[in-house]
Amino acid sequence: MKYSAEFRDPALARGLLAAIAETVAGYRGKMTLMEVCGTHTMAIYQHGIRALLPEGIRLISGPGCPVCVTPVGYVDHAIALARLPGTIVATFGDMVRVPGSSSTLLREKALGADVRIVYSPLDALTIAEHNRQQTVVFLGVGFETTAPTVAGSILEARRRGLDNYLVLAAHKTMPTPMAALASDPELQVDGYLCPAHVSAVIGANAYLPLAKKHRVPCVVTGFEPLDVLQGVLMLARQVVTGEARVENQYSRYVKPDGNPRARAILDEVFAPCDARWRGIGEISGSGLKIRTAFAYFDAARQLCVTVEEPVEHGGCLCGEILKGKVRPKECPLFRTVCTPEDPVGACMVSSEGTCAAEYKYGC
Ligand code: SF4
């Protein structure tokens, strides 16, 4: 607990809560603050932060869980690839249980497909090196946090001369969806707790256009309870005074310009593209595609498969949950039909999903 206990000090937490209460005391109405990071979502549930905040603040979860925002069509594509003879699909663990239109990667594995869980794209490279007669497809999902490592794996595959390593890329980028939600007339977001890991790569300055154009305060915030409370306090102060600035609560890790090395690797391998988000739909310029120079490593270009027409589960409200419009408990399937053991939607599968967090910790 060394180095994290300092960020869980109850006396300091009480002080921050008192400052938050004092800040919003004279504020008319209720302010809505959205966290856009699955790790924030888990921290907020795990430490019961929502229940500690004054009436005048409503915390909602946004599209920050990488597995959750991956659309069902991508899962179907991965399943179609897993069914190809001579193909090994390598993926982070959460993805194997995300329901596609008619199956999951876990079910395909049980039926004989070679689907392997890895902890890093470099593990997938090792599998490719040891299985030169087969094609290894790594499922590249997630935000700028994971995308540099996937880009690095492609550069490393080229360096090692691995011609049997491919990536099915569906990376998403911030802060474009935050701008989309900020202009949603049904959703009044008064401030954003900006994602910490993503910001370590893209930098706090990446939110300047969002704050300026949409007049929405942004605070890059860490994951410990005191980080979150301080981030809420900084946002609340801006909302009350009518400001819309970018502040960096997590300055011990996040720099104004992020991580130049990681961004350079990203830029070398990936190019911006339009991307489909579960529940939100297509957002212009919110994804990353593999550049033509690296097309040899692009599973979408190299492997031709028939992918079924995507079908979302009729009763699942993941899309609305990812936009912060409903809470998991408002979904009629929550805890009844949909559980972590038998998830109906991605938000119940992922360890960073809002439904999984509410199931585990309640509110
Ligand atoms: Fe979807 Fe299950 Fe969450 Fe309902 S509880 S929104 S079915 S993941």
Side-chain angles (χ1 to χ4, degrees):
M1 292 297 283
K2 177 96 176 108
Y3 305 121
S4 64
E6 296 91 328
F7 298 96
R8 299 179 178 197
D9 184 297
L12 290 176
R14 279 193 288 274
L16 285 166
L17 285 165
I20 292 169
E22 189 184 336
T23 300
V24 301
Y27 185 71
R28 284 222 230 126
K30 201 165 187 153
M31 65 177 75
T32 298
L33 309 179
M34 175 180 272
E35 92 269 359
V36 195
C37 174
T39 312
H40 279 146
T41 302
M42 288 308 282
I44 287 165
Y45 275 99
Q46 184 182 359
H47 299 290
I49 289 174
R50 198 172 270 116
L52 297 173
L53 295 175
E55 276 283 294
I57 294 183
R58 186 168 77 107
L59 269 188
I60 59 173
S61 305
C65 158
V67 169
C68 306
V69 299
T70 302
V72 69
Y74 178 88
V75 181
D76 292 340
H77 196 165
I79 287 170
L81 292 173
R83 288 172 180 165
L84 269 185
T87 303
I88 298 170
V89 168
T91 175
F92 297 134
D94 281 353
M95 280 299 290
V96 300
R97 297 174 64 235
V98 177
S101 296
S102 60
S103 185
T104 63
L105 285 165
L106 194 60
R107 183 162 185 268
E108 296 302 314
K109 184 176 170 68
L111 292 171
D114 197 341
V115 178
R116 304 189 193 184
I117 293 172
V118 294
Y119 295 98
S120 148
L122 292 180
D123 295 342
L125 274 191
T126 304
I127 294 172
E129 210 155 32
H130 293 159
N131 297 272
R132 296 303 292 261
Q133 302 309 312
Q134 290 170 282
T135 302
V136 174
V137 179
F138 179 73
L139 303 186
V141 299
F143 301 107
E144 291 95 333
T145 324
T146 49
T149 62
V150 177
S153 77
I154 288 176
L155 294 175
E156 181 63 13
R158 185 177 65 175
R159 192 189 69 79
R160 293 189 205 174
L162 286 174
D163 58 3
N164 63 330
Y165 177 72
L166 303 175
V167 172
L168 185 65
H171 290 290
K172 308 279 191 289
T173 57
M174 294 287 173
T176 324
M178 296 160 73
L181 293 179
S183 46
D184 183 336
E186 291 176 23
L187 190 69
Q188 172 71 41
V189 178
D190 296 302
Y192 280 118
L193 289 170
C194 301
H197 291 142
V198 164
S199 302
V201 175
I202 67 175
N205 286 349
Y207 305 97
L208 289 173
L210 170 68
K212 189 174 177 195
K213 184 174 175 200
H214 295 275
R215 296 286 310 152
V216 59
C218 295
V219 175
V220 177
T221 304
F223 298 119
E224 292 298 330
L226 295 188
D227 288 325
V228 175
L229 290 176
Q230 191 176 27
V232 168
L233 175 60
M234 291 162 83
L235 275 181
R237 282 179 172 156
Q238 285 200 53
V239 175
V240 166
T241 54
E243 295 173 278
R245 292 182 288 112
V246 176
E247 293 184 280
N248 186 4
Q249 183 279 333
Y250 204 39
S251 57
R252 63 187 186 275
Y253 285 118
V254 174
K255 306 288 172 258
D257 293 319
N259 181 329
R261 175 88 181 110
R263 286 168 54 190
I265 291 174
L266 265 186
D267 286 347
E268 183 177 356
V269 175
F270 292 115
C273 67
D274 299 345
R276 180 159 288 280
W277 295 61
R278 187 189 296 264
I280 302 175
E282 187 139 315
I283 304 176
S284 175
S286 69
L288 294 173
K289 65 179 181 185
I290 296 173
R291 289 189 185 276
T292 309
F294 295 93
Y296 193 79
F297 298 98
D298 188 346
R301 286 162 159 138
Q302 299 300 330
L303 300 177
C304 186
V305 285
T306 303
V307 181
E308 65 187 298
E309 198 59 35
V311 181
E312 301 274 1
H313 189 288
C316 177
L317 299 182
C318 271
E320 297 305 290
I321 281 170
L322 290 167
K323 288 183 282 193
K325 292 187 176 176
V326 302
R327 294 281 303 276
K329 280 182 181 166
E330 295 171 59
C331 172
L333 307 185
F334 182 73
R335 275 191 199 278
T336 53
V337 177
C338 183
T339 64
E341 292 73 36
D342 194 10
V344 173
C347 298
M348 187 61 93
V349 174
S350 172
S351 56
E352 297 192 337
T354 307
C355 298
E358 184 138 340
Y359 187 94
K360 189 170 180 186
Y361 298 111
C363 48

